[in-house]
Amino acid sequence: MEFNDVYNQERVTRKFTNRKVNEKLLAKIIERAQQSPSLLNSQPWKVYILAGEALAGLKKEVKKQIDTGVDPHEDFAKMLSLNWESFPSQNLAAVGASQPYFFHNKMDLFEDSNNTMFNAQDVVFLTIPKASPAWSVYDLGIFSQSIMLLAINEGIAVMPAHSMVSYPELVRKYAEIPNDELVGMAIGLGYKDKSAEVNDPKYIPARLPFKKIYKLIK
Ligand SMILES: Cc1cc2nc3c(=O)[nH]c(=O)nc-3n(C[C@H](O)[C@H](O)[C@H](O)COP(=O)(O)O)c2cc1C
């Protein structure tokens, strides 16, 4: 695909079809994403892909936790503050990244999609060592973006979601992740269910006016 087409398509998918991504294609995407830059080439990331019965088992146990009211407790909360500073929190409110706003108060659509892991048939879980500097979180973000752009280039839809790492001990169990790794993020990969209301383009949130984030000083 043309780079601009790939970039312009980089929008999240909150409901996938039941079609699985070809295993070799998944491996090729991750292998190519390894070319991402990282501080001093430290490459702090590791990748665990869950599919099939393992993913179904995880989804079932996560749903049970949600239904019994267990609070989300992602690993990053132990490493960094999860509080918003005023600039991003104002953005959440102002540009409609606030969930009730961009979901036109249809929060059930948003919640159902998150609680069922977007019906993703392949989920990439990304880890870094527990004892990591903040740079490794930055590096993991770059690596994630590489995975998403490479996937889109192959006609695959993407869903980065912290909600899929809200119960890290379960992810650790199903993906056989060692205790000394932080379960950082998850990206669902698959094919967009175009008939699902939750994927309607009207739920794509706007961005801030360019001038609010940009300054050129000479
Ligand atoms: C680190 C990260 C975590 C996210 N977590 C969630 C999530 O848990 N649930 C969800 O529905 N969307 C999640 N998203 C998607 C964002 O809400 C979405 O990218 C943003 O609102 C912009 O929408 P767009 O990508 O369609 O332009 C996440 C995105 C990122 C980068």
Side-chain angles (χ1 to χ4, degrees):
M1 270 168 92
E2 275 287 313
F3 177 77
N4 279 333
D5 294 335
V6 172
Y7 189 72
N8 291 339
Q9 263 192 45
E10 207 226 333
R11 296 284 175 230
V12 307
T13 286
R14 290 197 172 85
K15 173 99 190 278
F16 293 96
T17 67
N18 290 334
R19 184 177 160 200
K20 292 180 176 27
V21 180
N22 177 285
E23 276 176 31
K24 282 193 182 139
L25 184 53
L26 277 176
K28 180 179 127 187
I29 289 166
I30 304 300
E31 191 173 11
R32 289 195 67 204
Q34 282 186 278
Q35 296 305 318
S36 302
S38 58
L39 187 87
L40 290 169
N41 203 19
S42 49
Q43 306 171 65
W45 47 72
K46 285 212 178 139
V47 179
Y48 300 82
I49 297 184
L50 279 187
E53 280 177 23
L55 181 58
L58 173 67
K59 284 180 180 171
K60 210 166 149 191
E61 279 207 59
V62 164
K63 187 73 177 38
K64 219 185 280 169
Q65 299 263 307
I66 295 167
D67 290 345
T68 50
V70 179
D71 283 335
H73 46 270
E74 58 251 52
D75 275 355
F76 273 164
K78 292 176 206 126
M79 186 185 182
L80 301 161
S81 159
L82 289 186
N83 296 326
W84 298 103
E85 248 299 341
S86 61
F87 176 61
S89 69
Q90 278 163 17
N91 296 343
L92 291 177
V95 287
S98 111
Q99 293 161 352
Y101 182 99
F102 80 73
F103 269 93
H104 307 259
N105 286 320
K106 287 199 175 179
M107 283 304 293
D108 54 325
L109 285 180
F110 179 84
E111 277 159 18
D112 288 351
S113 68
N114 275 268
N115 294 350
T116 54
M117 294 196 181
F118 315 96
N119 193 43
Q121 303 301 309
D122 295 278
V123 180
V124 178
F125 290 94
L126 299 167
T127 75
I128 54 173
K130 259 188 185 156
S132 284
W135 289 118
S136 294
V137 178
Y138 185 92
D139 292 339
L140 193 68
I142 296 177
F143 185 64
S144 303
Q145 177 75 322
S146 296
I147 292 173
M148 293 194 285
L149 293 176
L150 288 161
I152 291 166
N153 189 46
E154 299 288 349
I156 295 167
V158 301
M159 183 65 228
H162 74 286
S163 62
M164 293 193 283
V165 294
S166 290
Y167 303 94
E169 66 289 348
L170 294 178
V171 177
R172 218 171 248 115
K173 173 176 140 188
Y174 280 91
E176 299 172 15
I177 297 172
N179 272 331
D180 59 357
E181 288 175 34
L182 265 169
V183 182
M185 250 305 270
I187 305 171
L189 297 179
Y191 299 90
K192 183 179 275 191
D193 179 346
K194 291 185 182 142
S195 66
E197 187 184 358
V198 74
N199 287 334
D200 192 305
K202 73 170 175 277
Y203 299 129
I204 295 176
R207 299 300 191 258
L208 283 180
F210 175 62
K211 285 194 174 143
K212 284 215 166 186
I213 63 126
Y214 178 82
K215 236 179 214 170
L216 172 65
I217 296 109
K218 290 196 219 176

